[in-house]
Amino acid sequence: MSGLFLSKGLFPQEFFRPTVDFLLRAQQTDGSIPWFDGGHCDPWDHVESAMGLSIGGEYSAAENAYRWLKNAQLEDGSWWAAYRAGQVDNRERRETNFVAYIATGVWHHYLISENRAFLREMWPCVRRAIGFVLAQQSRHGEINWAVDARGEPMEDALITGCSSIYKSLECAVNISVVIGDPRVDWRDARVALGDALRNKPERFDRTWESKSRYSMDWFYPVLTGAVPTPKASAHLQKRWGDFVEQGLGCRCVSDQPWVTVAESCELTMALLAAGDHARAVMVYSWLHQWRESNGEYWTGYQFVEDVLWPDERPTWTAAAILLAADALTEHTAAHHLFNQVRLLDVKSVSSVAEKGRARSS
């Protein structure tokens, strides 16, 4: 089915139910969610898939996914780059944006489920994860992309990775406020990171070739709020022609004829963040030609060779479809997460809590 148009209040539950069921089938008994049957599981894409479960109303499954991360967390607050069948599959590095993303997922789940007991349960895990990430922040504000097998910093920074961390810090700050342990230092770290992303391009891609050919470097600063809404539309317009293929989607890289579903979903949400609802609807409407009848979505399409490539239908791609659908339809209470910045104020939250206690007394 191609050309599926979504609008506010019209989340097609029946259409997306097979996609949610795919995520449930993929989830392992320990709670982990690999890319596909027999594939590996990495912390970032695992969280993405868990968010898809929350949108689908599968709260217990989503919570089991986050508990898997809690149980697998290393002493320093991090996770290895990949796991498979309950064992570590990649001990070469621990990536900071992978580690930070648990804050985004846990906050997303709380917004939908309103399960404060679960938020409290996950708080120590989130706190340790953010501690690990911020230990890799330089005095210039950017955050090292990883540490190696020995825990030594891999000293360079990625625009996409740091943009993802920027959103995760927003979510982590909000969790800390709701928990009643507000972290001013995390707010300060987020401010410094945002300043680096906006004003210090020399702090990124210092030791390797520029990643500017990747579409995520183009739209992630908008998707995560590092580029504020008043400047977001102009930012996206600058390279629209480099990355967007009419009727197909968003390229992964500008110099390859390959559009990918997940990047197209994220671009959809970035367009919403920029206030460009019409183009968000348009891009998203192209993506369901890559859907199978069982609700799975192909990774991407190589339009010169006219082939679906690679031969994979990953869980995180399915989850990205659900996240974009939620953003377009405002189906759940977390629909705004990737198109608005909502940093909680400690005083306003305290005021709400006081009123709640007054009503209950």
Side-chain angles (χ1 to χ4, degrees):
M1 177 180 180
S2 62
L4 178 70
F5 287 87
L6 301 183
S7 58
K8 183 177 178 179
L10 297 175
F11 185 87
Q13 296 265 20
E14 186 175 347
F15 179 79
F16 285 125
R17 188 62 229 179
T19 304
V20 177
D21 288 340
F22 164 55
L23 295 175
L24 287 171
R25 289 195 307 273
Q27 188 171 32
Q28 306 298 291
T29 55
D30 63 1
S32 63
I33 307 174
W35 284 26
F36 40 76
D37 187 31
H40 76 273
C41 169
D42 71 74
W44 197 99
D45 290 302
H46 169 83
V47 168
E48 188 91 342
S49 297
M51 288 194 281
L53 289 172
S54 298
I55 291 168
E58 299 293 341
Y59 298 167
S60 294
E63 289 169 8
N64 286 338
Y66 293 118
R67 289 189 178 108
W68 174 76
L69 281 171
K70 182 181 69 170
N71 294 334
Q73 190 174 34
L74 300 174
E75 287 187 10
D76 66 0
S78 69
W79 292 273
W80 291 107
Y83 297 78
R84 190 188 302 266
Q87 302 297 319
V88 178
D89 192 52
N90 184 336
R91 294 180 182 271
E92 294 178 6
R93 64 187 181 275
R94 305 195 294 280
E95 299 187 30
T96 51
N97 73 302
F98 281 21
V99 175
Y101 208 45
I102 190 171
T104 302
V106 168
W107 181 244
H108 176 269
H109 184 71
Y110 172 71
L111 288 173
I112 295 174
S113 69
E114 299 183 344
N115 186 343
R116 192 171 293 226
F118 177 73
L119 195 69
R120 287 195 296 268
E121 176 189 341
M122 293 301 300
W123 170 237
C125 178
V126 171
R127 189 178 62 234
R128 288 194 297 271
I130 298 301
F132 168 84
V133 171
L134 294 185
Q136 295 303 316
Q137 187 169 34
S138 86
R139 62 184 179 84
H140 303 283
E142 87 284 357
I143 293 173
N144 291 328
W145 77 282
V147 301
D148 65 18
R150 298 172 300 166
E152 295 298 320
M154 302 175 77
E155 293 185 349
D156 205 340
L158 296 161
I159 289 174
T160 297
C162 281
S163 295
S164 179
I165 293 170
Y166 187 73
K167 174 59 68 172
S168 290
L169 287 174
E170 174 193 335
C171 297
V173 166
N174 288 348
I175 294 169
S176 77
V177 171
V178 172
I179 288 295
D181 184 14
R183 298 295 300 263
V184 175
D185 55 329
W186 293 359
R187 289 179 185 265
D188 293 343
R190 178 179 173 273
V191 169
L193 178 58
D195 179 59
L197 284 164
R198 287 184 291 272
N199 302 313
K200 300 177 181 178
E202 73 280 1
R203 299 305 304 168
F204 301 89
D205 299 337
R206 304 191 306 273
T207 62
W208 51 59
E209 186 180 353
S210 168
K211 304 291 185 184
S212 62
R213 59 193 283 264
Y214 287 86
S215 61
M216 289 189 294
D217 264 25
W218 164 56
F219 64 72
Y220 248 74
V222 173
L223 176 68
T224 60
V227 172
T229 298
K231 297 182 178 180
S233 183
H235 178 94
L236 293 178
Q237 186 59 38
K238 285 179 184 177
R239 302 199 66 189
W240 182 266
D242 294 341
F243 292 112
V244 179
E245 288 295 320
Q246 186 70 24
L248 298 178
C250 181
R251 295 184 188 223
C252 177
V253 292
S254 60
D255 55 354
Q256 293 295 326
W258 180 47
V259 295
T260 55
V261 172
E263 272 91 341
S264 299
C265 289
E266 291 172 328
L267 175 58
T268 295
M269 293 185 285
L271 287 163
L272 290 174
D276 195 343
H277 184 269
R279 285 208 287 193
V281 170
M282 178 185 70
V283 170
Y284 191 73
S285 73
W286 300 335
L287 305 181
H288 309 287
Q289 59 190 305
W290 319 127
R291 180 183 189 267
E292 293 295 308
S293 59
N294 62 2
E296 300 174 21
Y297 285 77
W298 292 92
T299 299
Y301 173 66
Q302 215 278 12
F303 51 85
V304 170
E305 301 293 335
D306 188 26
V307 294
L308 293 164
W309 186 85
D311 185 17
E312 297 172 357
R313 299 189 293 274
T315 49
W316 46 267
T317 294
I321 281 282
L322 294 170
L323 283 162
D326 188 27
L328 284 165
T329 62
E330 301 184 8
H331 173 60
T332 76
H335 69 267
H336 63 273
L337 189 58
F338 291 103
N339 53 59
Q340 296 178 30
V341 173
R342 295 188 182 181
L343 200 61
L344 291 183
D345 178 73
V346 176
K347 292 180 180 179
S348 64
V349 172
S350 299
S351 176
V352 169
E354 287 295 334
K355 290 178 181 177
R357 283 192 290 270
R359 282 196 298 269
S360 63
S361 61

